[in-house]
Amino acid sequence: MYFKEYTLQEFIHVLSSNSPVPGGGGAASLSASLGCALGSMTANLTLGKEKFKLYEEDIKLLLEKLTICQQELLEFMDQDASAFEPLSKAYKLPKNTPEEITYKAQIMEVALFDASLVPIKIMEKSLEALSLLADISKHCSKLTISDIAVGAQFLRSAISGASMNVYINTASMKNREQAEQLNQKADDLTKKGIEQADQLFQNILNTINPK
């Protein structure tokens, strides 16, 4: 499966179907990549403008980094689906005997942990992208800066959404120490992401509509 190669209509269709993948993780990845794309658009529209010539090399570097983030986030759409597949199979394992119960518990624990890792990566990459958008917003036209604010909201949504995929998996883990480590990581990334996205959005709003 390569969801990143689907047309938008195809992806929305399969997302709304009874298929377990793509799900929230894939949608969060797409949301984050859209946020990156809006930042890239703003950077591309700024390049070549005489007013921002002094910052052209910096903007090019930011654009390069943002493009990499966007591509990695699209890759996470498929990685998230691949990580969920073993978990989906584990849920269906029989538990009619003590041996089967023990085996299922072992497989489930590994699958739940693995399924939590991609959402963490989505959150980390989205947070990185937010910083890049903030840097681009410092040297871009006021006519395009609103798109940075929209991009920040997409990335904020991706971070909050991906955190749910961590929490739903860790809630079923037997190894509570490992589960709480993942939860703490998700908590920290969510806090930072929401703070940065909201601050960037407010800064841009103040620029567009000063009071």
Side-chain angles (χ1 to χ4, degrees):
M1 70 188 73
Y2 295 101
F3 293 124
K4 64 178 182 179
E5 297 179 5
Y6 279 33
T7 65
L8 183 57
Q9 187 172 352
E10 288 171 341
F11 184 80
I12 294 296
H13 175 73
V14 71
L15 184 64
S16 62
S17 72
N18 62 357
S19 172
V21 292
S29 296
L30 178 59
S31 176
S33 66
L34 289 172
C36 291
L38 284 166
S40 295
M41 181 190 75
T42 302
N44 278 312
L45 287 171
T46 302
L47 289 174
K49 297 291 193 298
E50 187 63 30
K51 181 179 178 180
F52 303 102
K53 190 172 183 179
L54 180 64
Y55 310 105
E56 188 150 307
E57 291 306 312
D58 291 336
I59 294 170
K60 285 181 179 178
L61 181 58
L62 290 169
L63 178 58
E64 182 181 334
K65 291 180 178 180
L66 199 53
T67 300
I68 293 172
C69 282
Q70 179 182 324
Q71 291 303 315
E72 290 183 356
L73 284 159
L74 287 175
E75 293 287 344
F76 293 158
M77 291 171 65
D78 293 320
Q79 288 184 25
D80 184 72
S82 296
F84 181 77
E85 187 175 359
L87 180 58
S88 179
K89 291 180 179 179
Y91 277 119
K92 298 174 183 177
L93 288 172
K95 49 179 181 178
N96 301 313
T97 67
E99 291 78 16
E100 287 179 345
I101 292 173
T102 300
Y103 177 72
K104 181 173 183 175
Q106 292 172 342
I107 297 300
M108 282 287 297
E109 193 71 9
V110 173
L112 287 164
F113 177 80
D114 289 346
S116 302
L117 298 182
V118 178
I120 291 288
K121 291 197 290 184
I122 293 170
M123 297 173 77
E124 290 173 334
K125 193 56 60 175
S126 297
L127 190 61
E128 179 183 341
L130 268 173
S131 295
L132 296 172
L133 260 64
D135 288 340
I136 292 172
S137 72
K138 297 172 185 176
H139 306 298
C140 69
S141 169
K142 284 188 178 181
L143 296 176
T144 61
I145 199 170
S146 61
D147 293 301
I148 292 287
V150 177
Q153 292 303 295
F154 272 118
L155 289 161
R156 186 188 195 279
S157 175
I159 291 170
S160 297
S163 72
M164 290 296 104
N165 279 26
V166 176
Y167 300 139
I168 192 65
N169 291 318
T170 57
S172 298
M173 290 175 62
K174 303 300 182 185
N175 186 334
R176 297 316 302 164
E177 181 179 356
Q178 195 171 59
E180 289 309 317
Q181 288 176 351
L182 290 168
N183 285 342
Q184 188 61 56
K185 181 70 172 177
D187 289 347
D188 292 343
L189 289 168
T190 301
K191 184 174 184 293
K192 290 178 183 177
I194 289 175
E195 288 178 352
Q196 289 189 26
D198 288 352
Q199 185 63 61
L200 178 55
F201 187 89
Q202 189 60 50
N203 289 345
I204 292 173
L205 182 59
N206 293 341
T207 299
I208 296 172
N209 188 24
K211 295 180 180 180

